[in-house]
Amino acid sequence: MLNQRQIIKDLLQSTAFDTEVHVKGWVQTTRMNPYIAFIALNDGSTINHLQIVADISIFGQEFIDKIKNTGTCIAVTGKLVESQGAGQRVEVQATQIELYGESDPVSYKLQAKRHSMEFMREIAHLRPRTRTFGAILRIRHTLAYAVHKYFNDNGFFYLHTPIITGSDAEGAGEMFRVTTLDPVNPPLTEDGQVDYKQDFFGKPTNLTVSGQLEGELGAMALSKIYTFGPTFRAENSNTTRHLAEFWMIEPEVAFNDLEDNMNLAEDFVKYVIGYAMEHCGDDLAFLENRLIEEEKNKKQEERSPMLLLEKLRFVLDNPFERLTYTEAVDILVKSKPAQKGQFKYPVSWGIDLQSEHERYLVEKHFKKPVILTNYPKDIKAFYMRQDDDGKTVRAMDVLFPGIGEIIGGSQREERYEKLHTRIKELHIPEESLWWYMETRQYGTAPHAGFGLGFERLVLFVTGMTNIRDVIPFPRTPQNAEF
Ligand code: ATP
Ligand code: MN
């Protein structure tokens, strides 16, 4: 009988009063008077709890003491009634309670109080049970669904690019090696090098840093594709915006130029943010209130100028500012922080913009998302289409408030000779890219695409400040617990 579980999210909306219901979940808190226990139960389907009313004379004090503790798992049968108390519309008058799992209040690490985000990272096996992480995980799911929905509705095909890659030419940072060789006693060649011919794939392989190169192969046949998969970077950057394992969304479109690429990026990002606002109202409202509480402890000048929902709405309602790298550097050079020597990294044409520069443009100068284009070719990847000036390439980075770069993309170099020359200049091993080069030799076409870091998007939508708090189990230097 208890298997006909009803979802708390549905019951909270239900008007089927006086019917029998069955719910299962984890106890959040319990209030008690000498006669009745009021148990707030949550099953993860919603941020809101269902109040279970348990008559102590029916269940006995001893049993109630066992089930009342935070974290306990129970199954409840009872009657759905209109709630007498303030704060909830419905409640369940329990007739039968089954105890699935006790939770010792002394040793259970997740107490019913506010814990720091740092502490919760140490208990990542339990933190999904908190309201904050429940909200984040539901929003994360909804965003992922919206990504697939957007692309499907717009005629894109989901292409599964490989996670293990044999090319080391992707050029987006350090890679993790994949091998089955014995690290203590690897087979050696005659001249003492590791003999990768004896490795699983017969050559060195790594975890991918991007699905783009293979994505391009798909676009040269299906016209519009996207990838959405895990990517790995072994860069030792201990920041609030970098993970060693993260999820990336990479559309690639035949016949698109840089302008089309910008239009796609803006339309896509606005769609998924709007979708989350439409479907995650309760969770976003909860996170917004949480931020308001947090802001109360901050000095006036450190408080954010907009509340979470206002910030999201603002991004949807305003066109992103579009300008070239060269124009941006001009603004930065003339800016107050540059004049006063307040940037940690000085600005001049040719530098790779640092997060402080990106955030100045977005948060201080334009006060909205910005798309920068036509970066110097020396700071961008080999595959970006070269501009006629010989100095810049058709790159585009989308910069967001509080985050900096959220998207990096470009129109790709489709001209064989130009691409070939560039690969030689950069001493990239040509033979590892023969398959990529062949797309430029047979039926080449103009095309463009970009990569959106999924966690940076979740960071923006949830208003969290550390990327480790928007993925269930973060992987960062020195940290692969859970
Ligand atoms: P950054 O300059 O911020 O390190 P990047 O230029 O190395 O980023 P790209 O190679 O352009 O990034 O990757 C595309 C997108 O993937 C970025 O715009 C960002 O949203 C995301 N991204 C890149 N590196 C990471 C990382 N280590 N953790 C999480 N997201 C990342
Ligand atoms: Mn980039």
Side-chain angles (χ1 to χ4, degrees), residues 274-310:
Y275 192 90
M277 291 178 77
E278 198 178 315
H279 292 88
C280 300
D282 287 352
D283 288 323
L284 286 168
F286 174 84
L287 292 176
E288 173 163 283
N289 284 327
R290 186 186 165 276
L291 286 174
I292 293 170
E293 288 300 313
E294 221 170 52
E295 296 255 301
K296 284 185 184 156
N297 303 321
K298 287 190 189 163
K299 292 198 218 98
Q300 185 66 38
E301 64 270 21
E302 286 169 11
R303 293 187 189 164
S304 35
M306 284 188 218
L307 296 178
L308 179 59
L309 290 165
E310 190 186 357

Side-chain angles (χ1 to χ4, degrees), residues 32-52:
M32 283 215 277
N33 65 30
Y35 314 103
I36 298 174
F38 300 94
I39 300 165
L41 194 71
N42 191 281
D43 64 3
S45 61
T46 163
I47 188 101
N48 300 308
H49 305 329
L50 178 65
Q51 176 155 289
I52 308 295

Side-chain angles (χ1 to χ4, degrees), residues 171-173 209-210 231-233 235 237 239 241-250 352-353 358 380 383-384 396-398 403-409 450-457 467:
V209 294
S210 155
T231 47
F232 307 86
R233 296 195 185 174
E235 52 196 4
S237 44
T239 76
R241 292 170 301 110
H242 289 89
L243 291 164
E245 175 183 288
F246 63 101
W247 288 69
M248 185 133 75
I249 296 143
E250 297 179 276
D352 203 354
L353 297 182
E358 297 175 343
K380 289 292 181 188
Y383 48 71
M384 297 193 181
M396 60 161 223
D397 278 8
V398 181
I403 296 194
E405 181 187 329
I406 193 163
I407 288 178
F450 59 80
L452 166 71
F454 185 54
E455 284 74 18
R456 294 207 186 161
L457 173 71
I467 198 162

Side-chain angles (χ1 to χ4, degrees), residues 139 141-154 156 226 249 262-280 284 312-313 315-318 320 400 407 450 452 454 457 460-461:
I139 292 169
H141 160 80
T142 304
L143 284 168
Y145 178 74
V147 166
H148 288 298
K149 180 162 166 54
Y150 177 88
F151 286 124
N152 183 65
D153 290 354
N154 286 282
F156 285 71
Y226 71 105
I249 296 143
M262 287 192 275
N263 293 342
L264 175 64
E266 183 166 343
D267 189 55
F268 164 64
V269 171
K270 284 180 169 173
Y271 175 84
V272 294
I273 293 174
Y275 192 90
M277 291 178 77
E278 198 178 315
H279 292 88
C280 300
L284 286 168
L312 299 180
R313 167 80 28 226
V315 165
L316 297 195
D317 289 346
N318 291 282
F320 296 179
F400 260 42
I407 288 178
F450 59 80
L452 166 71
F454 185 54
L457 173 71
F460 182 73
V461 173

Side-chain angles (χ1 to χ4, degrees), residues 220 253-257 385 411-414 443-448:
M220 288 301 106
V253 186
F255 318 118
N256 267 11
D257 64 12
R385 194 177 201 278
Q411 185 175 340
R412 319 304 189 189
E413 183 56 82
E414 85 283 15
T444 193
H447 61 289

